[in-house]
Amino acid sequence: MNIQSCVEVRNEWDIVKARQSGRNIAKELGFGTVDQARITTAISELARNIYLYAGSGEVAIERVENGGKLGLKIEASDSGPGIKDIRKVMEDGFTTSGGLGAGLPGVKRLMDEFTIDSKENEGTIITSIKWLR
Amino acid sequence: MDDRDLQYQKYKSILENYLQEQSEQTLYKGQQFSRKMIEQKISPEEAVSLHVSVLEELFPDIPQRLKNSYDFLLEMMIGYGFAYREHQSLRSRQQQLESEIEIAANMQQTLLAGDKPDVKGLDIGAISKPAQKMSGDYYHFVQDENNCMSVAIADVIGKGIPAALCMSMIKYTMDSAPEQRMQPGAVLENLNRVVEQNVDPNMFITMFYGLYDPRVHSFYYAGAGHEPGFFYDAEKDEFEELYTKGLVLGVSKKTSYQEYQRVLYGNDMVIMLSDGVTECRSSSGFIERDEIVAMIRKYIHLSAQEIVDEVYRELERLQEFELRDDFTLVILRREV
């Protein structure tokens, strides 16, 4: 099986699609049920951010390898309004969607690696990896 | 066996025990175990997963439908895990902030440390206690080569860090204009200008400034909207209000401050305070200025420092050890 997928996000159904393909790949790679659920939640949050703030974008999920370590990489990208103050959105307690504990810092904690790149009026790319232990 | 296995085995044995006999003792063990898990930062979803995997071992033929329901529960718990981790991270940030404030408060203490000078013929008592970690009250003594001693007592309207920052500015301004020290009115005029130019318009500072000249036993003073102090006339055995006329610092650009003078005879006292003293609130309402006077009178046989300490202790007790405002009390007494 080709372990990668890319889901375009335009509506809430697409969020479910992204979750599903993330969960399938996580299972395939051998992640336990708790990590599967974490990865899925991370994908869900990222896809939801695209849907809410950028309107549309895509979520790519693929298998990565580094020095014998196996992992799952999520890349969420959009060409939306971008994030003005990245430090602010990475602060706990700052979330415009009002969800408790959600938001980007929450995603960062669910995963092992997290990078964010954003330019105002150009868009945002978030890359995040969970390694298999 | 690694930590995870150990945890698994321990949980399994406690759960098995409980399934056999539903004793309070086992529940207590469970409570202790959960505390340990929290210490080890095990998140809620991991706890549920632990329970589910133990169940699956103990009951190999759980119906598939029930198994599926556990997956659903796990998914639900991820959200709680999210919130739990945020809570932990906010908590560590709070600890970090608190230690920063602690350091700032110590710095302020060093900065404002009002060493009481040793003035011949004058007994001095001073106490200043912040309501929170940092104080918006300020008192400061300076003694010059002629043995004259100036005393300033100020209160920033507001509390905590903003008030404390403002206070530091006052201190630097006072330090940078030593030539004016002899003229209380001019000192306040200068400060008023600095405050008006540099401080947020919503922040006000009240101040009382005085200068004692031991050569002529005179106290010269001026006030900027500050809580009036008291003058104790020993011969008449009477307290009177130390009234001053002058606007709060920082309100208007051009303000002048009237200067007053009192001669101190043996045992006469000048009492200066911040509104944290008179706005003390006990269960029966605000404490009246008369009551403060009565307290001072009660301890009048003691030294100036003992008086301020005792008055503070009494007011602290009256307020059930909860200061609502920064508290500063200074007493000068001419020795006989």
Side-chain angles (χ1 to χ4, degrees):
Chain A
M1 180 187 157
N2 180 20
I3 303 201
Q4 67 169 40
S5 97
C6 184
V7 177
E8 279 196 43
V9 178
R10 282 203 190 84
N11 53 45
E12 282 203 280
W13 293 116
D14 297 330
I15 300 175
V16 176
K17 246 191 264 170
R19 289 176 57 110
Q20 183 67 63
S21 70
R23 192 185 298 273
N24 289 345
I25 293 173
K27 209 179 274 181
E28 193 85 15
L29 290 172
F31 281 100
T33 44
V34 175
D35 277 344
Q36 282 177 35
R38 285 180 181 151
I39 289 168
T40 308
T41 305
I43 291 171
S44 197
E45 284 293 321
L46 294 176
R48 201 171 156 74
N49 277 347
I50 292 176
Y51 167 66
L52 287 178
Y53 303 117
S56 70
E58 58 179 42
V59 176
I61 297 148
E62 62 177 7
R63 170 200 139 114
V64 280
E65 234 184 306
N66 184 5
K69 264 196 307 185
L70 205 59
L72 179 147
K73 181 169 106 175
I74 312 166
E75 190 178 283
S77 56
D78 66 65
S79 17
I83 298 166
K84 212 186 205 162
D85 189 347
I86 295 183
R87 270 179 67 181
K88 193 119 207 178
V89 297
M90 291 311 291
E91 247 171 45
D92 278 306
F94 179 88
T95 160
T96 39
S97 50
L100 183 66
L104 296 181
V107 172
K108 186 178 178 179
R109 279 191 292 266
L110 286 177
M111 304 290 286
D112 295 321
E113 286 178 29
F114 184 95
T115 54
I116 175 165
D117 198 3
S118 183
K119 259 202 191 122
E120 240 188 311
N121 301 321
E122 282 180 32
T124 305
I125 297 183
I126 293 172
T127 313
S128 193
I129 299 175
K130 184 96 184 161
W131 296 109
L132 196 58
R133 257 173 284 270
Chain B
M1 224 191 285
D2 67 7
D3 284 357
R4 207 161 276 263
D5 287 330
L6 237 122
Q7 208 173 48
Y8 181 89
Q9 292 307 333
K10 183 95 198 278
Y11 188 80
K12 187 177 141 194
S13 97
I14 298 175
L15 185 63
E16 265 181 320
N17 262 334
Y18 185 72
L19 294 178
Q20 235 157 38
E21 187 195 356
Q22 286 82 55
S23 76
E24 197 57 48
Q25 200 194 345
T26 316
L27 284 178
Y28 176 56
K29 267 191 188 156
Q31 188 210 350
Q32 283 174 312
F33 187 74
S34 80
R35 190 176 299 166
K36 212 179 259 165
M37 283 171 75
I38 290 169
E39 268 171 28
Q40 290 169 2
K41 301 204 161 94
I42 308 288
S43 63
E45 70 266 23
E46 278 169 292
V48 168
S49 155
L50 176 64
H51 180 79
V52 170
S53 39
V54 170
L55 269 194
E56 281 174 349
E57 192 195 325
L58 295 178
F59 306 99
D61 17 274
I62 314 180
Q64 186 59 40
R65 278 161 60 91
L66 206 54
K67 265 191 189 174
N68 292 345
S69 84
Y70 293 144
D71 287 342
F72 191 80
L73 176 63
L74 197 67
E75 200 69 30
M76 299 290 298
M77 293 317 284
I78 295 278
Y80 282 88
F82 240 76
Y84 179 68
R85 283 190 203 88
E86 182 184 52
H87 173 80
Q88 282 176 324
S89 125
L90 286 173
R91 213 166 74 170
S92 77
R93 220 176 65 188
Q94 190 199 357
Q95 278 166 351
Q96 190 192 333
L97 279 176
E98 258 169 29
S99 75
E100 272 175 35
I101 292 172
E102 197 76 51
I103 294 168
N106 286 338
M107 262 178 75
Q108 196 197 21
Q109 284 309 312
T110 339
L111 194 73
L112 301 186
D115 275 346
K116 284 191 302 172
D118 204 8
V119 181
K120 200 166 176 281
L122 199 63
D123 179 21
I124 303 171
I127 191 170
S128 191
K129 296 277 180 190
Q132 290 158 12
K133 281 205 170 118
M134 300 186 74
S135 182
D137 273 9
Y138 162 89
Y139 75 88
H140 192 55
F141 296 102
V142 177
Q143 193 175 14
D144 69 12
E145 60 281 2
N146 300 321
N147 246 337
C148 288
M149 183 204 68
S150 63
V151 52
I153 165 161
D155 183 0
V156 179
I157 311 300
K159 276 180 286 187
I161 298 174
L165 287 173
C166 191
M167 217 64 273
S168 311
M169 194 186 72
I170 295 282
K171 148 111 179 153
Y172 290 128
T173 311
M174 304 258 311
D175 286 354
S176 62
E179 67 284 353
Q180 282 178 342
R181 212 164 275 150
M182 302 297 286
Q183 303 151 277
V187 168
L188 292 183
E189 275 156 39
N190 181 35
L191 273 173
N192 178 59
R193 208 164 34 242
V194 172
V195 172
E196 201 271 332
Q197 277 168 17
N198 296 288
V199 180
D200 188 89
N202 310 324
M203 204 178 253
F204 300 109
I205 300 162
T206 70
M207 185 179 240
F208 181 91
Y209 183 90
L211 177 94
Y212 182 69
D213 188 339
R215 296 166 298 189
V216 291
H217 309 297
S218 281
F219 188 69
Y220 307 89
Y221 60 97
H226 196 77
E227 177 78 24
F230 301 101
F231 184 83
Y232 173 69
D233 185 327
E235 200 186 48
K236 288 192 220 154
D237 190 24
E238 268 173 17
F239 284 86
E240 52 188 289
E241 198 158 86
L242 213 49
Y243 172 80
T244 56
K245 187 167 180 268
L247 210 55
V248 171
L249 299 177
V251 176
S252 113
K253 220 174 225 129
K254 278 226 165 286
T255 311
S256 56
Y257 294 92
Q258 198 177 324
E259 209 169 290
Y260 303 81
Q261 182 197 355
R262 290 305 281 252
V263 178
L264 272 71
Y265 296 96
N267 277 333
D268 281 357
M269 291 194 289
V270 173
I271 296 143
M272 292 157 277
L273 37 86
S274 68
D275 59 6
V277 178
T278 46
E279 275 169 24
C280 283
R281 211 182 298 208
S282 67
S283 47
S284 53
F286 279 112
I287 288 165
E288 299 291 331
R289 284 169 63 86
D290 293 351
E291 291 176 71
I292 308 284
V293 167
M295 276 180 208
I296 294 171
R297 195 179 273 284
K298 186 165 144 198
Y299 299 110
I300 208 159
H301 56 286
L302 300 172
S303 74
Q305 188 59 47
E306 284 168 326
I307 299 175
V308 297
D309 288 343
E310 288 300 327
V311 170
Y312 172 69
R313 206 168 311 170
E314 196 159 318
L315 286 173
E316 191 187 29
R317 205 170 37 233
L318 273 176
Q319 298 186 93
E320 285 153 7
F321 302 95
E322 213 181 294
L323 277 193
R324 285 183 182 80
D325 197 0
D326 304 325
F327 178 105
T328 301
L329 181 61
V330 174
I331 292 183
L332 312 177
R333 172 158 59 192
R334 182 177 161 196
E335 288 169 336
V336 194

